[in-house]
Amino acid sequence: MQRVYNFAAGPAVMPEEALATAAKEMLCYGQTGMSVMEMSHRSKMYQEIFNETEALVRELMHVPDNYAVLFIQGGATGQFAGVAMNLLTGSGKADYVDSGNFAHGAFVEAQKYGSPRCVASSREEGYVRIPDLDPAAFDPQADYFYITTNNTIYGTKYASLPETGGVPLVADMSSNILSEPYDVGKFGLIFAGAQKNIGPAGFALTIVRRDLMGRAMAITPKVLDYKKLDEAGSMLNTPPTYAIYMAGLCLKWLKKQGGVESIAQVNREKAAWLYDAIDESRVFKGVAEKGSRSIMNVTFRTGDEDLDAEFVKSAAAAGLVNIKGHRSVGGMRASIYNAMPPEGVKALVEFMKKFEMEHR
Ligand SMILES: *Cc1c(COP(=O)(O)O)cnc(C)c1O
């Protein structure tokens, strides 16, 4: 069977080249005579694979030396607790921006460990935009200020980062990490579940400024303690070895594309094609407000649920799969991460135009 264009929100499309390399190396990696899956995580060969993956993260994101790069199990959701247990330990206060379901979930999780506060929310508006932020309302005593840079379900993104002064900015970047340049030095901590724009599911990538480590709550599980993880090279116990290897293959591909700066141009172009098609359409309407539009998750609908369902179904029949919107939003969502080829987006735009001709 031919490969489809997979617009899933995550786990999501991966570079075909990375998958092909993994297939080639599946039974025997290099001269080891075994699969990467069968290697001890303590072996020299595996340590090289791990080191290369970490080095690629550092290189592609220009991570300054005073930041640790950690691979942690429990996904992005695990980091909702991890962030609070490690950082909510000064004043016990933190400002959270409620810009979507995942942001809300992080806020609720943090309540178990301290006194976070919701500083702004667009929940009442169905999260169709990033809420307005008033810096005068920010708590200067907060241990950190928490944002979700890209809201996967609604298709929204911060047009600019909040200025938080001396309060460390913490970001859930699960669905737009590596999609365009971010200055890591502006953040105290960045984390991302791997399965959207990094590689397969299996870990969260956490990039944390080293001076913020070493103040975890006593109850923090060892495997979520950033300082202990850093000291052990993310190997306090067996890491998700194969997922980290696969992520390395995906990052090598990204490097070959010219890195984050280059892929950002492609990403902006891909998103613009879709948004132009939506804005010119008489059938489709965008869900996210224009000033908050994501370049990774493009949400739209016809306004008629039956017609949405027909579109999703006929798109799938044409090899454009997983376009159904999240159940809480409905309509359609095209996730167009780094690995979605421009041809896939072009095919979707053409399909939308054809559908429109048939339905007006
Ligand atoms: C997918 C996603 C999550 C949840 O990721 P898990 O790894 O499944 O826990 C959290 N935040 C954002 C922004 C996401 O897109």
Side-chain angles (χ1 to χ4, degrees):
M1 187 187 172
Q2 236 196 317
R3 278 174 61 78
V4 293
Y5 288 121
N6 179 10
F7 293 90
V13 56
M14 295 209 283
E16 207 169 301
E17 196 181 301
L19 295 171
T21 303
K24 210 173 69 207
E25 296 176 341
M26 175 58 73
L27 296 182
C28 287
Y29 179 84
Q31 296 304 306
T32 62
M34 65 175 83
S35 172
V36 173
M37 270 186 250
E38 302 169 296
M39 285 179 196
S40 163
H41 59 295
R42 307 283 181 202
S43 66
K44 186 165 168 283
M45 184 50 90
Y46 185 74
Q47 190 65 52
E48 278 171 21
I49 293 170
F50 180 95
N51 291 350
E52 193 176 4
T53 305
E54 182 189 331
L56 281 162
V57 171
R58 287 189 176 277
E59 180 182 349
L60 289 164
M61 292 185 70
H62 311 291
V63 178
D65 288 342
N66 61 326
Y67 284 71
V69 172
L70 308 173
F71 298 81
I72 311 177
Q73 296 196 54
T77 307
Q79 293 306 295
F80 295 173
V83 163
M85 293 180 125
N86 281 274
L87 305 183
L88 199 48
T89 56
S91 64
K93 299 192 288 176
D95 281 337
Y96 275 71
V97 180
D98 177 23
S99 58
N101 258 1
F102 290 119
H104 192 76
F107 173 59
V108 170
E109 187 75 357
Q111 287 169 15
K112 294 180 189 167
Y113 306 106
S115 308
R117 177 182 70 142
C118 174
V119 68
S121 175
S122 50
R123 191 176 178 82
E124 295 293 310
E125 294 123 282
Y127 294 127
V128 294
R129 62 188 182 87
I130 300 295
D132 296 327
L133 299 179
D134 173 12
F138 298 179
D139 182 355
Q141 300 199 312
D143 289 328
Y144 56 89
F145 190 99
Y146 184 102
I147 62 169
T148 309
T149 47
N150 186 81
N151 298 276
T152 325
I153 295 175
Y154 317 90
T156 64
K157 186 191 78 158
Y158 282 75
S160 61
L161 295 175
E163 292 292 341
T164 58
V167 175
L169 185 60
V170 169
D172 175 356
M173 230 179 244
S174 292
S175 49
N176 77 331
I177 192 164
L178 297 162
S179 69
E180 58 183 338
Y182 276 100
D183 179 356
V184 175
K186 287 220 161 89
F187 297 85
L189 183 148
I190 291 168
F191 70 87
Q195 67 276 16
K196 279 133 190 176
N197 220 9
I198 300 173
F203 63 89
L205 179 70
T206 297
I207 303 171
V208 53
R209 218 172 66 207
R210 285 211 163 89
D211 65 285
L212 296 174
M213 304 193 307
R215 39 172 111 164
M217 294 174 186
I219 58 160
T220 308
K222 180 167 90 169
V223 293
L224 279 181
D225 184 317
Y226 298 144
K227 182 148 177 89
K228 290 186 178 136
L229 279 157
D230 186 33
E231 284 166 358
S234 295
M235 293 201 202
L236 286 162
N237 66 328
T238 317
T241 51
Y242 197 75
I244 292 169
Y245 154 77
M246 277 296 321
L249 295 181
C250 295
L251 294 173
K252 263 186 221 166
W253 170 85
L254 178 53
K255 186 176 170 181
K256 258 187 146 166
Q257 311 309 301
V260 175
E261 290 74 12
S262 298
I263 207 90
Q265 305 279 358
V266 179
N267 287 335
R268 290 185 191 121
E269 200 171 14
K270 275 155 55 184
W273 292 335
L274 266 175
Y275 286 123
D276 285 349
I278 290 165
D279 291 341
E280 287 162 12
S281 170
R282 268 181 283 171
V283 170
F284 302 108
K285 286 171 270 306
V287 172
E289 280 188 14
K290 282 191 182 170
S292 296
R293 280 175 165 177
S294 164
I295 60 169
M296 291 283 99
N297 311 97
V298 177
T299 49
F300 56 104
R301 57 165 71 101
T302 64
D304 172 341
E305 281 181 30
D306 293 336
L307 197 57
D308 287 347
E310 189 187 330
F311 179 80
V312 169
K313 200 172 153 203
S314 53
L320 308 164
V321 310
N322 291 323
I323 288 183
K324 191 171 189 295
H326 188 271
R327 61 189 181 281
S328 65
V329 177
M332 279 73 73
R333 169 177 55 179
S335 296
I336 50 172
Y337 299 117
N338 287 351
M340 171 57 67
E343 298 75 44
V345 178
K346 275 190 191 148
L348 175 57
V349 167
E350 267 163 42
F351 187 82
M352 287 165 72
K353 299 223 154 116
K354 183 167 149 272
F355 188 86
E356 181 156 353
M357 294 286 276
E358 293 162 3
H359 290 87
R360 61 174 171 194

